[in-house]
Amino acid sequence: MLIAGNWKMHTVPDAAVELARDVARRVRSHADSVAVAVCPPSISLAAVGEVVRNTPVRLGAQTMHEAEQGAYTGEVSAPMLGAVGCHYVILGHSERRQLFGEIDAGVNRKTLAALAHGLVPIVCVGETLNERKAGEEETVVGRQIDAALDGVHLDSAAHLVVAYEPVWAIGTGETASPEQAQAMHRFIRDRLVSFGAPREVEILYGGSVKPGNAADLFAQPDIDGGLIGGASLDAESFAAIVEAASKV
Ligand code: PGA
């Protein structure tokens, strides 16, 4: 099980450090059964990296550029993320796709670059409400997976994480039902395996996961944890979700 907190564009650096400390303290007792990660804004990665160093909590970034360095104003690269202690990098989050014009081919370039630099990509996929209403969720998510993983060869299941995040469930308070999520996770797992990926690649569910719905989601056989937005900004709620994962 892996529970990752996506803090998005929240927390000034002092607040990020405080939140990371609180999270590290609260989740310590579950370290044996659940992997925990926090993904703060890039400006706080170094400071939060210091806080979680020597704790079981891992550090993740929310995006990156695929080049190692260069004239890319405003961007950060995989070697930079690695240098401040990042283990994970979230790639292709629906907000990046919808608000910042990221496309499947770009997610693929970033995925390859992250892997080449020893980062574990958390590749996000998910359909919009209209796509689901049209019954196209498998077509859309299948295409996103195929594109993101083009040319990817995994030596180990631990080198990749996929997050299924139905766009209609992100930040809306609406969650996919455990059955809906399980069906998509099974579909994603089969798709990954058809790519030669190990069956054990972790597939996280994301989209309005809260302490009250976490246990039912995590009880599904193909749900290996969660990517948590809103509820990860409150250490108590986040820790409660980690605890729910520890009971599976
Ligand atoms: P949410 O966000 O938990 O606030 O719905 C999830 C995500 O965007 O990763």
Side-chain angles (χ1 to χ4, degrees), residues 4 6 8 90 93-95 124 165 169-174 206-210 227-232:
N6 174 10
K8 308 192 180 182
I90 299 171
H93 189 279
S94 65
E95 286 151 18
C124 300
E165 299 206 306
I170 295 177
T172 57
E174 196 161 329
S208 300
V209 178
K210 308 283 180 229
L227 182 55
I228 319 298
S232 71

Side-chain angles (χ1 to χ4, degrees), residues 62-68 72 74-79 81 88-93 96-97 100-123 147-150 152 159-160:
Q62 298 176 14
T63 184
M64 59 168 237
H65 193 277
E66 66 264 30
E68 280 182 27
Y72 301 103
E75 296 289 319
V76 295
S77 70
L81 298 181
Y88 298 105
V89 57
I90 299 171
L91 295 177
H93 189 279
R96 300 293 318 169
R97 294 177 191 258
F100 302 99
E102 279 198 16
I103 54 169
D104 283 333
V107 177
N108 178 239
R109 288 193 294 271
K110 293 178 184 205
T111 301
L112 290 166
L115 288 166
H117 288 92
L119 294 170
V120 176
I122 301 177
V123 173
L149 299 187
D150 189 25
V152 168
H159 292 172
L160 175 72

